[in-house]
Amino acid sequence: RGDKVIVFSDNVFALKKYAVRLGRPFIYGPTTQKERIEWLSAFKQTTTCNTIFISKVGDTSIDLPEANVIIQIASHFGARRQEAQRLGRILRPKSRANSEFNAFFYTLISRDTSEMYYSTKRQQFLVDQGYAFKVITELTGMDDDQDLAFSTKAEQRKLLEEVLYVDMEELQADEEDDEDAVRRG
């Protein structure tokens, strides 16, 4: 369809893991200004870069009016202001003349986690603002699609092991670098 997709992740490990696995560019705190400009320009001006992964550094400092889809993975407690900022990214006027493009905002949440509680609060905020949403608990046909990343049980198990055994010092350093970049704006 030609969608322009931003994948937001507040967890730098998840951001890098998914972006690298899917062969997509990612922007987070330590990303150089030169790299940011190159990737953002490619996203805005070409059809070869339709998906970009961005940490919370993109909540307020990056303008991508071309985006019409946001997928939120790993949002740390997701403040309502952050949710509104991200939603605003895809509601901006588009330069496309074709009216078939709509805005879609997806949040991936794991069952039986603290994320469930916070997502309910964010949903209520969106309803209070006049937005509609739909909770999807199962995607039919997903188990049959072998072209998807992490589609096999072995790949899923390997990803889980990597998450469980991540080097916490390295992870903490990445998260701190990202926070520093957010504070600097």
Side-chain angles (χ1 to χ4, degrees):
R1 294 182 353 171
D3 291 316
K4 291 288 191 170
V5 181
I6 301 173
V7 180
F8 275 107
S9 176
D10 295 343
N11 179 307
V12 175
F13 176 79
L15 175 89
K16 292 163 97 178
K17 187 74 177 160
Y18 288 117
V20 168
R21 174 67 165 87
L22 298 172
R24 302 291 188 263
F26 61 92
I27 296 174
Y28 74 116
T31 304
T32 67
Q33 188 66 18
K34 180 180 183 274
E35 287 174 311
R36 285 179 196 219
I37 291 168
E38 287 173 6
W39 288 331
L40 294 174
S41 293
F43 183 83
K44 290 177 181 181
Q45 299 168 2
T46 72
T47 58
T48 58
C49 181
N50 288 333
T51 303
I52 191 164
F53 284 70
I54 304 176
S55 75
K56 58 188 150 205
V57 299
D59 285 342
T60 57
S61 61
I62 294 176
D63 187 36
L64 295 171
E66 296 77 13
N68 68 309
V69 176
I70 287 182
I71 301 172
Q72 221 173 208
I73 58 173
S75 58
H76 289 319
F77 316 117
R80 291 179 298 196
R81 182 187 65 76
Q82 180 185 51
E83 191 97 341
Q85 286 280 0
R86 291 177 177 179
L87 184 58
R89 298 263 179 256
I90 57 174
L91 296 178
R92 294 187 180 138
K94 309 292 180 232
S95 60
R96 300 177 181 134
N98 189 340
S99 63
E100 73 181 57
F101 287 94
N102 291 314
F104 298 97
F105 188 99
Y106 301 97
T107 301
L108 305 182
I109 300 166
S110 298
R111 287 183 212 201
D112 302 324
T113 64
S114 61
E115 250 184 307
M116 292 286 292
Y117 170 77
Y118 293 105
S119 75
T120 303
K121 293 222 173 270
R122 292 191 312 261
Q123 287 172 0
Q124 187 57 52
F125 172 73
L126 294 176
V127 168
D128 292 346
Q129 300 301 308
Y131 296 105
F133 71 91
K134 180 178 180 181
V135 175
I136 301 170
T137 57
E138 190 173 320
L139 296 173
T140 56
M142 294 286 290
D143 294 336
D144 301 330
D145 192 344
Q146 296 303 310
D147 293 331
L148 296 174
F150 308 110
S151 63
T152 68
K153 292 292 182 197
E155 289 175 306
Q156 294 166 11
R157 199 170 9 266
K158 184 175 187 271
L159 175 63
L160 180 59
E161 287 173 4
E162 289 173 5
V163 169
L164 290 173
Y165 299 113
V166 66
D167 181 342
M168 292 308 288
E169 288 180 17
E170 182 182 334
L171 178 64
Q172 185 67 29
D174 274 348
E175 295 288 338
E176 288 172 4
D177 289 345
D178 200 49
E179 283 293 330
D180 289 344
V182 169
R183 281 193 286 279
R184 286 191 309 270

